Amino acid sequence: MKFQANRDVFSEAVSFAVKLLPQRTTLPILSGVLIETTDAGLRLSSFDYEVSAQTEISAEVEEPGRVLVSGRLLAEIASKLPNAPVQFSTEESKIVVRAGSANFTLLSMPVEEYPSIPQVSGEAGLVPAEEFAEAVAQVGVAASRDDVTPVITGVQLEVGDNTLGLVATDRYRVAVREIDWDNGTTSGESVTALVPARTLTEIGKTFGHSGTVSISITNRDDRELIAFTADKKTVTSLLIKGNFPPVRRLFPEQVDNYAVINTAELIEATRRVSLVLEREAALRFTFTADGLTLEAIGSEQAQASESIDALLTGQETVVSLKPQFLLDGLGAVHSEFVRISFTKTENPNKPGPVLITSQTSKDQSGADSYKYLLQPNLLLR
């Protein structure tokens, strides 16, 4: 095998191929990147039985072939090569990588033992790449990081006639976002797919500037897979098995009691006042006609409070919220103002979840469909 490729193009392709591989794989061979020559140049692939990544680039191929090489090592080398064409060749069980005056020799891995890369051939739909990346970032933060309950470590994708819904929860909060979905000529059959949040987050970052992203879901050999494709790059992921909790029903249809606040002011005040909090402690938020007061109470060493402007509609309300959970929701609201709505429960002593949505101005709600529902802590007496 022998080829020459542009350094930046080659480095970016290797980086993409290894990005989703875990730091430690169950089998050493799964840490490799498979490089194959094609009619148009090269195909680079990685696969760890859970996630695969594949991309194609142009290259000048002198001798066709396929080789398996340590992915992260090759990515490190490729990113630090001098600015010159990459010359790649194999000599028996060794791989030689040259660029300018730099010269590296690597051992190849047994390519015949490498598993077959999954191919997804199902009905595909298209989503706008920027909207998709934004939605993934907004919703993914609410997914659980506790592997004890795998079903809530994912983001549920819900395909409708012309919308794609994204939903995530960790039991303490729920995030939802809808974006446009083009299902082409296929019927608008409702489909759901539970994708690992970590994988989906990386896909969102990778494909965020790709124009459109093609998404297809398939069930082959009792393995449910989803594939994301854009710009000659494809990522497949095994879906999480299990029933995602029916969290959409937790969202109220209408809330009459709410406050509108400047998003940046609330973020800054929350960060300042929470500095004196002990770990896992909550902040007290008091909403009145005069504005919003934040208080950090309970620590003997230090206490803090701050008041900011807030436009309250309805009755005065006091809630206790974990600052980081609140900041996660506020950071996903991409508008100058934010609306915090107060839901009710049958128990007057137990506050209902607060609903966070975007707000274009003090008196006009936001245009996007992002919703973030956060369960308050019990109030400290």
Side-chain angles (χ1 to χ4, degrees):
M1 183 182 195
K2 191 173 185 180
F3 65 82
Q4 180 173 296
N6 177 281
R7 185 204 67 166
D8 293 340
V9 172
F10 182 72
S11 174
E12 197 272 337
V14 178
S15 175
F16 165 77
V18 304
K19 189 180 296 183
L20 288 167
L21 287 178
Q23 292 293 335
R24 293 176 182 171
T25 54
T26 52
L27 297 171
I29 198 168
L30 299 180
S31 65
V33 164
L34 179 66
I35 303 176
E36 304 169 280
T37 56
T38 66
D39 293 341
L42 301 176
R43 181 187 301 118
L44 293 87
S45 312
S46 64
F47 183 39
D48 71 346
Y49 290 113
E50 299 285 333
V51 180
S52 79
Q54 193 168 86
T55 183
E56 295 187 5
I57 61 171
S58 299
E60 297 177 18
V61 177
E62 291 184 40
E63 295 176 14
R66 63 200 302 259
V67 67
L68 188 66
V69 60
S70 171
R72 296 200 185 280
L73 179 57
L74 183 61
E76 283 288 326
I77 292 170
S79 67
K80 292 176 174 59
L81 288 172
N83 191 11
V86 176
Q87 296 175 325
F88 189 105
S89 59
T90 56
E91 299 172 6
E92 295 182 349
S93 63
K94 294 185 178 179
I95 298 166
V96 178
V97 182
R98 297 188 180 92
S101 57
N103 192 338
F104 292 86
T105 302
L106 311 173
L107 278 177
S108 63
M109 303 167 79
V111 68
E112 63 278 358
E113 296 178 16
Y114 198 67
S116 299
I117 307 296
Q119 303 296 323
V120 176
S121 55
E123 298 293 352
L126 298 174
V127 291
E130 286 191 20
E131 273 191 58
F132 177 69
E134 180 184 58
V136 169
Q138 287 176 309
V139 172
V141 71
S144 174
R145 290 160 182 77
D146 186 357
D147 291 333
V148 174
T149 313
V151 74
I152 57 172
T153 62
V155 175
Q156 171 118 313
L157 303 187
E158 301 173 346
V159 177
D161 282 342
N162 51 19
T163 61
L164 175 68
L166 294 87
V167 191
T169 184
D170 62 2
R171 291 199 182 95
Y172 304 102
R173 59 227 174 125
V174 182
V176 173
R177 174 73 197 276
E178 316 281 340
I179 61 173
D180 291 335
W181 167 266
D182 178 4
N183 60 12
T185 58
T186 60
S187 61
E189 183 182 348
S190 60
V191 179
T192 61
L194 190 52
V195 187
R198 173 185 170 271
T199 302
L200 195 63
T201 298
E202 284 296 336
I203 290 167
K205 292 176 183 176
T206 301
F207 291 154
H209 302 288
S210 302
T212 57
V213 180
S214 171
I215 303 176
S216 55
I217 303 165
T218 190
N219 191 337
R220 291 178 59 190
D221 304 324
D222 201 34
R223 287 169 63 87
E224 287 189 287
L225 293 171
I226 188 167
F228 303 85
T229 304
D231 295 342
K232 293 187 178 181
K233 295 183 176 76
T234 298
V235 174
T236 72
S237 173
L238 203 60
L239 298 182
I240 299 172
K241 290 189 175 182
N243 295 320
F244 193 72
V247 291
R248 278 187 181 268
R249 67 186 184 188
L250 300 175
F251 288 89
E253 290 186 13
Q254 183 178 344
V255 184
D256 298 323
N257 191 192
Y258 60 87
V260 175
I261 310 146
N262 181 281
T263 308
E265 286 182 13
L266 181 53
I267 288 174
E268 290 167 10
T270 301
R271 285 175 175 161
R272 274 193 294 269
V273 178
S274 63
L275 287 172
V276 302
L277 282 180
E278 295 176 354
R279 190 181 175 190
E280 296 299 313
L283 283 181
R284 182 189 294 233
F285 294 80
T286 303
F287 296 86
T288 68
D290 297 325
L292 166 62
T293 300
L294 298 79
E295 298 171 278
I297 303 171
S299 169
E300 295 180 0
Q301 280 78 25
Q303 296 183 358
S305 67
E306 183 171 345
S307 296
I308 61 174
D309 289 336
L311 185 63
L312 180 66
T313 299
Q315 62 192 42
E316 297 185 351
T317 303
V318 182
V319 292
S320 182
L321 303 170
K322 286 194 175 180
Q324 189 54 56
F325 284 4
L326 175 63
L327 290 171
D328 287 342
L330 296 176
V333 174
H334 302 149
S335 57
E336 184 179 356
F337 294 90
V338 61
R339 176 185 292 205
I340 298 183
S341 305
F342 311 105
T343 66
K344 296 180 180 179
T345 63
E346 294 178 0
N347 184 348
N349 295 320
K350 185 179 179 182
V354 298
L355 175 61
I356 295 173
T357 52
S358 65
Q359 187 84 6
T360 304
S361 63
K362 285 187 176 181
D363 53 7
Q364 184 179 359
S365 59
D368 68 12
S369 59
Y370 175 68
K371 294 186 291 186
Y372 183 88
L373 198 65
L374 174 59
Q375 179 64 46
N377 289 35
L378 290 175
L379 288 170
L380 300 171
R381 298 299 180 192

